[in-house]
Amino acid sequence: MNIIVCLKQVPGTTKVSIDPQTNTLVRQGIKNIVNPFDTYALEEGVRIKEKHGGKVTAISMGPPQAEEMLREAISTGADEAILLSDRSFAGADTLATSYTLARAINKIKEDNLVICGRQTIDGDTGQVGPELAEMLGIPFIAYVSRIEEINNGRIRVQRLVEDGHEIIESTLPAVITVVKEINTPRLPSLRGMSKAKSAVITTWTAQEIGADKEMVGLSGSATRVIKIFFPQRVRHGEMLQGSPESQAASLIDKLRQAKLI
Amino acid sequence: MEYLLSEQQKTIQGLARRIAEERILPVRAELDEKEEFPWAIMKDLAESDLFRVFLPEAYEGLGGGCLDLCLVVEEISRVCSAVAISYAATALGSFALLEYGTEEQKRKYLPDIAAGKKLAAFALTEPTAGSDAGAIKTTAKKVDGGYVLNGTKQFITNGGEAELYTLIILTDPSRGARGASAVLVEKGTPGFLFGKKEKKMGIRASATRELVFQNCLIPEQNLIGREGMGFLMAMKVFDRSRPGIAAQAVGLAQGALDTAVDYARQRIQFGHPIIALPVIQDKLADMAIQVEAARALTYAVARTIDSGAKNFTAESSMSKVFASDTAMKVTTEAVQVMGGAGYMRDYPIEKMMRDAKITQIYEGTNEVLRGTIAAELRKRKTKRE
């Protein structure tokens, strides 16, 4: 099994600022973490490798600082890591991102299974997984909560749906996105950390993956963020007056009216 | 304080701290309450290679020494001392093999210990032989192709959970302590049974059991070193392991101090956080001084051992006595700082106080060890004259 896991660095804080020009997140100078959902994708990839053999390649599109995250991926079980980094990739929406990832995955060629987290915690769209499958022209299964079997070029999984589970079988290669119920990601190991320290992280530019400049980054993005704002929260407080007994009685009335009790 | 740790040691310390905070902290109260052996955490420690730190690279270890082991034990103990001792007891159980075992024995057992696939244990204490370790009665009778074991070991940490046991037994009962030897016994050997699991005051998640031997036949090649060397080996093993108990005590004390400081900053009495009160400040300052002094001594002793020193009986005993007395004092004071809340089981501090007591007792009571230190003082003086 050759497994590709897509990872993204996201801000490890909610205190972020927005670039007024592009309306995208300012990623410089803030502490980044691996998108938590992607850690489940990586763990599952490593578990599949441990069971069926093969190789796990971690891949990310991002600025040079994302190399640190890819090293961490190696310390928790990835065999190789590829960073897609090019100035022209900046400002990409999900379409341009999945195009870029797809170009890189096409270059790797020998992939059997691509695993992504269900969504990122910054963009929150959950679109890159399905778009990636579409661009690669292979089947896609979202919200996988358990891998039941991988055999003879087929994969059978359990996936989370609104009111239960579905069992789905697909041919390989395929793209899946995973939910956090699927596993508990392992912590790094000392041997893995020492391997990560000396690992060579391959960097590919737009040219190296043969990407069309018009399809990547801001220029390849079909969507533009017009405005980002915090929703206004309006709270209507009401102070009850009177003796404690009458306050309690009127509180009960109000809770009953609101059908809360 | 700058302890000049190597990059590798800082990495080990950081990883142990992360496991302690992410994996142990959420479950420590439950493990204590249920007296449940922390298998899931042992697996985390194994997967993170932390069982490798104290073993040589030739046996799948990472080639670290006593200080590396101490750093892991301290970090785990800062959160849960019971988990820390379950880990440290495996190191104790592999020291005799590591120091005195044959190449063949080491190759057979150590890689599995390093990978954390097997836990180990060390068994000396018996119902009639505690501080007077020379009074052991368990025998190993030489027969064709091996030894037949009979007797009972008591209060054995990791008993029942470990796969590999180093026992100190008598191969020649007529010679007393000089007839003692060290042997390896694997769990599952016919005639090797486990007695009751003890209910303890503290370190309740750790397993403490009786080991019972009834005509238990072990192969001859399970003897470690030579017959008659067992008692000496046991003493040497403890010299090496005591800084680990000191580190456990340092971690406990640090955890208690941190908890007390947090509480004192938040607890408002007389209109101010109690940390503004001079009596509380005095207590916290004394606690901090003791903890740092205990840590400095423990690390210094661990480094002495790692430097290849030959005799460190006194130094190793000093670290264990000082750090464990510190842990008892600091955890008791931490409960006092927290008052009624500290006494309640909803807070972690009473557990730390219960856990601290054992560090003054096991691997040589502090009374016995003070005697050992005094004896070394006399010996050294005599040598100089």
Side-chain angles (χ1 to χ4, degrees), chain A residues 11 13-28 30 91 121-123 218 224-231:
Chain A
T13 165
T14 48
K15 288 176 197 134
V16 292
S17 51
I18 306 295
D19 183 331
Q21 301 297 313
T22 60
N23 276 323
T24 52
L25 288 176
V26 177
R27 295 182 190 275
Q28 276 76 38
I30 46 170
I121 57 162
D122 55 355
L218 201 57
R224 289 281 186 284
V225 179
I226 307 299
K227 188 182 173 194
I228 288 187
F229 59 93
F230 290 102

Side-chain angles (χ1 to χ4, degrees), chain A residues 72 184-194 197, chain B residues 11 15 18-19 22-23 47-49 52-53 60 62:
Chain A
E72 207 179 310
T184 307
R186 72 194 65 190
L187 291 159
S189 68
L190 291 167
R191 280 181 167 180
M193 285 161 101
S194 117
K197 205 180 276 177
Chain B
T11 305
L15 187 56
R18 194 171 154 193
I19 293 178
E22 289 181 21
R23 302 287 164 96
E47 284 177 351
S48 297
D49 294 332
R52 297 187 196 278
V53 305
E60 303 287 315
L62 288 165

Side-chain angles (χ1 to χ4, degrees), chain B residues 223-235:
Chain B
L223 177 75
I224 304 178
R226 293 202 318 270
E227 278 188 23
M229 300 292 287
F231 195 70
L232 192 73
M233 279 188 231
M235 294 305 113

